[in-house]
Amino acid sequence: MSTKHILPRSFYLRDDVVLMARELLGKVLLTRKKGLITSGIISETEAYKGIVDRASHSFGGRRTDRTEVMYAIGGTAYIYLCYGVHSLFNVVTNRKDIPDAVLIRGIIPLEGISIMEQRTGKKNSSGRFASGPGNVAKALGIHYSESGTDLTARRSVTGSLDIWIEDRGIPVDSDHVSATPMIGIHYAGEDALLPWRFLWKE
DNA sequence: CATAGGATCGCCT
DNA sequence: GGCGATCCTATGT
């Protein structure tokens, strides 16, 4: 696994979070926890355009202890606890102080499958047993306490977990990608600013 | 300090 | 399709 495939800072620094959500499909999300490497091909994402997105934790530019990480430089991990049970993993994008993020909602398990089966207590019979944002983090051993990890440094805040994303040139045909606006949110004439979900079905 | 609620999941009917 | 789990976070007094 060559470091040249790690997504560079420049990938995350761009302005269009919806574009990045689309481009993250087919990229490989990896973790190394206590020397164990697990990974999966990103198959579902959702863009959160912080300031203008009612569904975003940083809507309206709100800053709290939890959401402060969303204002970090692109390429940082924003991870938080949902419903007291699930860690949800997001990729922060854009420049510092602009709180855009992409939620990783599904992966196709790739490396370390038996470890991920152990972590989730599920078998890989479906090929997508690690889909759903809570399951993604669970399978990869990601915990909300790792929020703030730099995805480009391969060195975590805690030192116990590395998280990074690689481009291995996996092609994702547009014909197999469905893009849907989030349900239940309507801004007249502001469709381009809606949160956006991308699902890759092979 | 007290309280309500959440970018979900899996089990139940 | 409904609902409980489970605990942190944000907000209000």
Side-chain angles (χ1 to χ4, degrees):
Chain A
M1 140 177 46
S2 161
T3 56
K4 72 184 175 185
H5 294 299
I6 295 179
L7 286 188
R9 180 75 67 195
S10 56
F11 178 91
Y12 302 103
L13 283 182
R14 292 170 296 157
D15 187 58
D16 188 343
V17 66
V18 176
L19 175 69
M20 282 178 273
R22 169 62 180 83
E23 288 183 355
L24 281 168
L25 295 179
K27 300 294 189 289
V28 180
L29 174 60
L30 304 95
T31 64
R32 179 175 51 203
K33 196 179 182 69
K34 294 175 181 165
L36 299 175
I37 289 185
T38 49
S39 72
I41 305 167
I42 297 172
S43 59
E44 185 175 353
T45 61
E46 188 162 42
Y48 286 87
K49 189 146 187 68
I51 303 286
V52 299
D53 181 350
R54 197 193 72 186
S56 170
H57 293 158
S58 53
F59 173 62
R62 245 168 45 108
R63 299 180 93 116
T64 66
D65 287 345
R66 178 180 62 161
T67 61
E68 192 58 33
V69 171
M70 293 189 76
Y71 293 82
I73 192 170
T76 304
Y78 170 53
I79 311 160
Y80 76 98
L81 179 67
C82 186
Y83 291 99
V85 238
H86 310 291
S87 287
L88 268 53
F89 174 78
N90 299 255
V91 175
V92 173
T93 69
N94 218 321
R95 305 186 302 281
K96 181 169 156 43
D97 291 325
I98 302 180
D100 296 348
V102 177
L103 173 65
I104 307 300
R105 300 189 57 91
I107 60 172
I108 301 166
L110 198 58
E111 295 149 288
I113 287 178
S114 63
I115 299 166
M116 293 193 277
E117 287 178 334
Q118 230 175 319
R119 287 174 180 156
T120 59
K122 291 192 283 188
K123 282 292 176 187
N124 189 31
S125 49
S126 66
R128 292 198 176 195
F129 74 106
S131 286
N135 292 323
V136 168
K138 194 172 183 183
L140 293 170
I142 296 171
H143 188 260
Y144 65 90
S145 61
E146 320 278 355
S147 192
T149 296
D150 184 346
L151 300 173
T152 67
R154 294 191 57 176
R155 184 163 34 246
S156 76
V157 282
T158 64
S160 64
L161 174 68
D162 294 344
I163 313 172
W164 71 100
I165 299 175
E166 294 183 6
D167 183 354
R168 297 186 182 174
I170 298 169
V172 178
D173 193 319
S174 296
D175 292 344
H176 296 273
V177 173
S178 56
T180 54
M182 233 173 130
I183 300 161
I185 299 178
H186 306 99
Y187 297 100
E190 299 281 341
D191 283 357
L193 300 178
L194 284 170
W196 213 266
R197 182 180 290 198
F198 293 95
L199 176 63
W200 175 32
K201 37 186 171 40
E202 288 170 284

